[in-house]
Amino acid sequence: MAGMEKHYFGRGNTAAGLYTLYDSILGGLDTVFVINGQTGPGTSRILGELADAWKNTDWTKHYIHEPLDHERLEGIILEEARIGIIDGNAWSPDPVLEGTEIRIIDAAQTLRKELQEEAEALAAAREPEIAALYAKAYDSFSNTLRIHDDWEKIYIDHLDREKANSIAADFALNYLRPISAKKADITRRFLGAATWRGAVDYVPNLTESVRTRIFVKGRPGSGKSTMFKKIAKEAEIRGINTEIYHCGFDPASLDMLVFPELSLAIFDSTAPHEHFPSREGDSILDMYELAIEKGTDEAYAEQIPVVSSRYKYSMKNSISILAEVKKFRDEVWDAYGAAIDSKSLRRVADQIIHQVEILTNTSATL
């Protein structure tokens, strides 16, 4: 039977700029293959070949998606094998992980030299435009966050902090029961991202295997992220392994905690990643009902629609800029794609597969 699949993001186009969590995601692995070289869509295609080759294996596969275009991969982790494969352009030009063997794979060998120069010339010409658009997008996301802060303030000013703190304490008391005395393993990821198409999240996939799912509802500023931070800290104190998922818009905020040992997940289930209970073991925790002063929505009935509209307009503008980025990048990637030699690309994938076979004493076929 094929192993479980997990989908998430390692980076995000955020209000804090391009933000990465790869050092946490790749930490603790025995071996990381870093695919280097400017090849446009080449690395994504190599990762796609690897995903197909390992599709029916028993390993738990982590598929790490690209934040601009979630339909492309920029990394794979084979959990039980403790092996990662990562696009060097997405992670670091000088990768260093304590206790991890780094194996560099040259993807530039997949390019036909006669077309490579044309692609590189186009990339050099488009690079300033793409960089300027990214900077513009990040400025727009930052402005959007300031608007969101205005929205949050309405509810923060009417938050019962004592009640909010007691909710976090009650959760820890009722759910965070340590299995054994040990140091907690903490991993940080993004459950979603602001892509050129808009917000994309993998909450259903990341929580499908847990028995207990708590859907946290509430308004902006109703204490959800603060509660998650308190719970995460308490879990760490108790030695409970925790997957911490940061907000793909504001990485300083948290959107979800998963505790694999407890088969438990608690997550912000409001827009843009709004989900609803659908099975046994699901429940709702409504922070607005529990911790916000009654009648707040009614008291600010005129202001709330205005700030909400400003926020949505600004977010839509931010996403439209990312769509412009993709348009220019696709032009460059099409040039690189034309330069890729498919047989050479297959050989690079085979090379990685062969090395993984040796490391794990297994076999896979393309």
Side-chain angles (χ1 to χ4, degrees):
M1 185 175 72
M4 185 171 61
E5 297 181 358
K6 293 183 179 181
H7 295 262
Y8 53 86
F9 297 89
R11 303 183 297 159
N13 295 305
T14 79
L18 180 62
Y19 200 95
T20 179
L21 295 172
Y22 268 118
D23 285 352
S24 176
I25 291 169
L26 300 175
L29 297 180
D30 292 335
T31 308
V32 171
F33 294 86
V34 180
I35 305 175
N36 276 349
Q38 295 291 343
T39 62
T43 299
S44 180
R45 284 176 54 181
I46 291 170
L47 289 166
E49 296 272 6
L50 297 176
D52 286 342
W54 294 324
K55 185 176 182 180
N56 296 316
T57 63
D58 294 335
W59 290 317
T60 299
K61 277 84 65 179
H62 296 218
Y63 295 123
I64 309 173
H65 295 256
E66 190 200 50
L68 180 64
D69 182 358
H70 73 283
E71 294 182 347
R72 293 185 179 276
L73 294 178
E74 61 181 28
I76 296 174
I77 291 175
L78 306 174
E79 184 175 306
E80 292 80 6
R82 298 172 64 85
I83 292 173
I85 305 92
I86 183 72
D87 183 343
N89 298 303
W91 178 32
S92 168
D94 299 302
V96 176
L97 286 174
E98 186 177 350
T100 301
E101 179 190 8
I102 304 294
R103 299 191 181 188
I104 304 297
I105 303 295
D106 178 21
Q109 62 185 282
T110 66
L111 299 175
R112 290 176 287 180
K113 300 302 180 185
E114 64 274 17
L115 296 176
Q116 181 178 353
E117 290 184 4
E118 293 180 23
E120 289 174 344
L122 180 59
R126 290 286 180 262
E127 183 178 356
E129 295 168 290
I130 292 174
L133 283 170
Y134 266 126
K136 183 180 178 182
Y138 299 146
D139 283 345
S140 184
F141 279 125
S142 180
N143 180 63
T144 307
L145 180 59
R146 287 192 291 270
I147 297 170
H148 195 266
D149 289 343
D150 292 341
W151 194 357
E152 284 188 331
K153 190 176 186 305
I154 294 172
Y155 295 99
I156 290 174
D157 288 347
H158 296 81
L159 173 67
D160 184 335
R161 287 173 172 78
E162 185 176 337
K163 179 61 178 177
N165 289 338
S166 72
I167 293 170
D170 288 345
F171 181 92
L173 179 66
N174 294 325
Y175 291 101
L176 299 184
R177 297 170 183 171
I179 296 185
S180 61
K182 61 176 177 58
K183 182 179 179 180
D185 182 13
I186 309 297
T187 304
R188 297 178 181 274
R189 306 165 178 158
F190 287 111
L191 63 80
T195 77
W196 77 277
R197 292 181 182 273
V200 172
D201 76 82
Y202 291 107
V203 171
N205 165 262
L206 292 166
T207 64
E208 66 182 354
S209 65
V210 303
R211 288 191 304 273
T212 304
R213 303 190 302 179
I214 299 174
F215 296 63
V216 181
K217 302 293 184 179
R219 313 295 192 269
S222 57
K224 300 185 295 295
S225 177
T226 300
M227 177 180 67
F228 293 151
K229 290 175 182 178
K230 290 179 180 295
I231 292 171
K233 184 61 178 178
E234 188 61 35
E236 183 176 8
I237 292 170
R238 299 185 185 203
I240 299 170
N241 295 345
T242 309
E243 297 172 4
I244 298 176
Y245 291 87
H246 290 248
C247 173
F249 167 53
D250 176 11
S253 294
L254 304 184
D255 275 348
M256 180 167 74
L257 306 173
V258 177
F259 308 100
E261 297 161 306
L262 306 178
S263 196
L264 167 69
I266 180 169
F267 52 92
D268 184 335
S269 187
T270 60
H273 34 77
E274 187 172 22
H275 302 281
F276 297 93
S278 60
R279 69 184 197 210
E280 185 178 354
D282 289 352
S283 62
I284 288 177
L285 192 163
D286 192 327
M287 292 295 288
Y288 177 80
E289 292 294 330
L290 295 172
I292 299 294
E293 182 182 327
K294 302 300 181 187
T296 298
D297 277 349
E298 292 77 9
Y300 292 86
E302 292 185 7
Q303 296 96 315
I304 290 171
V306 173
V307 71
S308 172
S309 179
R310 287 174 57 219
Y311 168 77
K312 291 175 183 176
Y313 176 83
S314 186
M315 181 62 78
K316 185 177 180 180
N317 178 66
S318 305
I319 296 300
S320 71
I321 300 169
L322 290 182
E324 290 184 65
V325 172
K326 184 177 182 296
K327 176 183 173 183
F328 281 110
R329 196 190 70 169
D330 280 354
E331 184 181 351
V332 174
W333 277 27
D334 285 346
Y336 273 110
I340 292 173
D341 178 75
S342 295
K343 290 182 180 179
S344 296
L345 186 141
R346 181 68 62 88
R347 282 195 295 270
V348 171
D350 279 334
Q351 176 188 352
I352 297 172
I353 289 170
H354 179 63
Q355 292 189 45
V356 169
E357 288 174 350
I358 293 173
L359 288 169
T360 60
N361 194 29
T362 59
S363 63
T365 56
L366 270 176

